[in-house]
Amino acid sequence: MTDPVAVTGLGLVTPAGEDADATWDGVCRGAGTASRDPAPAGLPVDFSCRVPLSRDALDRRVGRTAWRMSRNAVLAVLAAREAVHDAGLDPRTWDGERVAVVIGCGMGAGAEREEQAGRLRELGADMVSALTVPQIIPNMAAGEVSIDLGARGPGLAPATACASGATAVAVARDLLVSGRCDVAVAGATEAAVTPLTVAGFWRAGTLSRRTGEPTGASRPFAADRDGFVLAEGAGVVVLERTGDAAARGARVRARLVGCGSTSDAHHPTAPAPDARGAEAALRTALADAGLSPRDVDHVNAHGTSTPLGDAAEAALITRVLPHRPSVTAPKGVLGHSLGAAGAVEAALTVLTLQHGTVPPVANLDTPAPGFDIDCVTEEPRRQDVRTAVSHSFGFGGHNVVLVLAKA
């Protein structure tokens, strides 16, 4: 059993809102945020879930350094600033050498990459931006957060596809427990709604094709689900050792008590149909927390709205957690923000623990036959959740489960 760490702050920038409070309100309303998007206009799928702020508005919030950043880095900086402020920490006074930054990213800066590739083809090398490489490399969001906060401790950028955000939180926990840092700013970001990404996921058969009803397209665990909705966003949490948080009188939102990570070793994109790798991650996380499956009150599901993924996850929950804890799946509202999703959902799980409220799964009108799981639908459910798990699964067979407990 690993010592728990405290979650003392969180920040969110998502399609449901420009900060954590707005995102929480939007997720609790339970309405999908997908809409027509000019980026993939003309493609077979022409909608997505976007952060409700223009690039100019995002840049104004970041300030004078925004000109050099990709969109995914801007989102990460804003979420990290909110999380640090929420934790009651001041980067001007902390010991930056004891602050770690772990910000995951699944795809990197897709829009900037495609724009500069077009410039190269059409205008030649002289017209390619000198910022191309520092903008598109996937670690740069972590780098820009470190620069912005003056954090000079360990700096890492996990890339485990759609599990990247959860991986970042787990790695940050390990850095704290090992004594490598005193504060960890951890999460993930993604801004990959581009023509190439949309076309690639469409060809892979993973996107919803409900072009006539974008807001209802993301339907986790529904009988008529047909794929996910591509999204963007960022989520960041601040982690500290519980003793350190108590010593400075910090408000503790929740405790991170266990982490588990495994690989399917099965297929590049398809989940293992028996979900044995995901099950091992869940059982490992619970063992790490010193808990049994029956201790789990709530599941924040990966719930992408894909036929294969949801079926495997529902079977996993039924097999390991037969006492039917409440289940939610934020992607019904937010879409699938790929690498950022695990961090966004970890933050939302913290808010569920803190508020005693489970948000509903959007668009879940008719659960799929055979899914014996207790999905919350239509409206938020009041529940005294003391222990919750957050699932994150990614291409390549990455499985990460976080166990969070009420403070």
Side-chain angles (χ1 to χ4, degrees), residues 68-208:
R68 71 180 186 223
M69 296 186 196
S70 62
R71 184 176 178 88
N72 67 323
V74 167
L75 296 176
V77 167
L78 290 175
R81 285 181 183 176
E82 183 187 10
V84 170
H85 177 75
D86 183 56
L89 293 166
D90 187 346
R92 295 172 299 182
T93 59
W94 66 17
D95 180 0
E97 294 185 0
R98 299 294 298 167
V99 179
V101 169
V102 188
I103 302 293
C105 185
M107 299 286 291
E112 290 77 8
R113 179 184 292 106
E114 291 184 36
E115 178 186 356
Q116 296 307 319
R119 283 175 168 265
L120 178 62
R121 284 193 308 269
E122 297 167 14
L123 302 173
D126 288 346
M127 297 304 293
V128 171
S129 171
L131 293 172
T132 299
V133 172
Q135 283 190 341
I136 68 174
I137 52 179
N139 70 299
M140 193 51 67
E144 290 287 8
V145 169
S146 295
I147 294 165
D148 189 71
L149 299 177
R152 300 187 299 278
L156 300 170
T160 52
C162 302
S164 297
T167 299
V169 173
V171 168
R173 189 280 302 261
D174 291 347
L175 291 173
L176 281 165
V177 171
S178 70
R180 296 285 305 280
C181 63
D182 297 325
V183 175
V185 179
T189 185
E190 200 79 88
V193 183
T194 69
L196 180 60
T197 305
V198 171
F201 279 122
W202 175 74
R203 287 286 291 150
T206 58
L207 293 184
S208 172

Side-chain angles (χ1 to χ4, degrees), residues 1-390:
M1 178 176 175
T2 305
D3 292 339
V5 299
V7 181
T8 57
L10 58 86
L12 290 167
V13 186
T14 74
E18 58 195 53
D19 57 23
D21 287 343
T23 295
W24 177 248
D25 288 346
V27 170
C28 286
R29 282 195 299 273
T33 58
S35 62
R36 295 272 185 270
D37 189 327
L43 295 178
V45 174
D46 60 356
F47 56 92
S48 72
C49 294
R50 289 277 198 174
V51 169
L53 290 169
S54 69
R55 178 59 198 253
D56 286 344
L58 291 169
D59 287 356
R60 285 194 295 272
R61 292 190 174 207
V62 169
R64 61 182 180 83
T65 58
W67 65 273
R68 71 180 186 223
M69 296 186 196
S70 62
R71 184 176 178 88
N72 67 323
V74 167
L75 296 176
V77 167
L78 290 175
R81 285 181 183 176
E82 183 187 10
V84 170
H85 177 75
D86 183 56
L89 293 166
D90 187 346
R92 295 172 299 182
T93 59
W94 66 17
D95 180 0
E97 294 185 0
R98 299 294 298 167
V99 179
V101 169
V102 188
I103 302 293
C105 185
M107 299 286 291
E112 290 77 8
R113 179 184 292 106
E114 291 184 36
E115 178 186 356
Q116 296 307 319
R119 283 175 168 265
L120 178 62
R121 284 193 308 269
E122 297 167 14
L123 302 173
D126 288 346
M127 297 304 293
V128 171
S129 171
L131 293 172
T132 299
V133 172
Q135 283 190 341
I136 68 174
I137 52 179
N139 70 299
M140 193 51 67
E144 290 287 8
V145 169
S146 295
I147 294 165
D148 189 71
L149 299 177
R152 300 187 299 278
L156 300 170
T160 52
C162 302
S164 297
T167 299
V169 173
V171 168
R173 189 280 302 261
D174 291 347
L175 291 173
L176 281 165
V177 171
S178 70
R180 296 285 305 280
C181 63
D182 297 325
V183 175
V185 179
T189 185
E190 200 79 88
V193 183
T194 69
L196 180 60
T197 305
V198 171
F201 279 122
W202 175 74
R203 287 286 291 150
T206 58
L207 293 184
S208 172
R209 304 189 182 197
R210 291 176 179 266
T211 56
E213 187 193 9
T215 58
S218 185
R219 313 171 69 80
F221 302 113
D224 57 351
R225 68 196 185 280
D226 71 331
F228 67 77
V229 177
L230 194 61
E232 62 180 5
V236 174
V237 295
V238 173
L239 303 178
E240 302 176 65
R241 287 182 289 272
T242 53
D244 294 343
R248 71 177 185 87
R251 173 191 59 177
V252 176
R253 284 185 174 269
R255 294 176 296 125
L256 176 62
V257 297
C259 305
S261 178
T262 64
S263 296
D264 283 348
H266 168 70
H267 188 273
T269 59
D274 60 6
R276 291 300 177 185
E279 177 179 342
L282 174 54
R283 293 191 184 278
T284 298
L286 290 171
D288 188 39
L291 298 171
S292 73
R294 291 202 66 85
D295 292 317
V296 176
D297 301 314
H298 170 64
V299 178
N300 188 302
H302 187 59
T304 59
S305 184
T306 60
L308 292 178
D310 285 8
E313 187 172 14
L316 160 70
I317 294 169
T318 301
R319 185 166 63 243
V320 182
L321 307 171
H323 58 289
R324 302 183 82 248
S326 62
V327 176
T328 194
K331 292 181 182 72
V333 172
L334 303 176
H336 192 353
S337 56
L338 307 179
V344 169
E345 289 160 15
L348 291 172
T349 306
V350 168
L351 293 172
T352 287
L353 289 159
Q354 187 173 5
H355 294 303
T357 301
V358 178
V361 182
N363 303 313
L364 182 51
D365 304 321
T366 305
F371 286 10
D372 186 21
I373 57 177
D374 182 20
C375 288
V376 177
T377 61
E378 296 184 358
E379 60 184 15
R381 178 187 298 177
R382 295 292 298 169
Q383 181 186 352
D384 181 21
V385 179
R386 305 202 65 80
T387 302
V389 295
S390 184

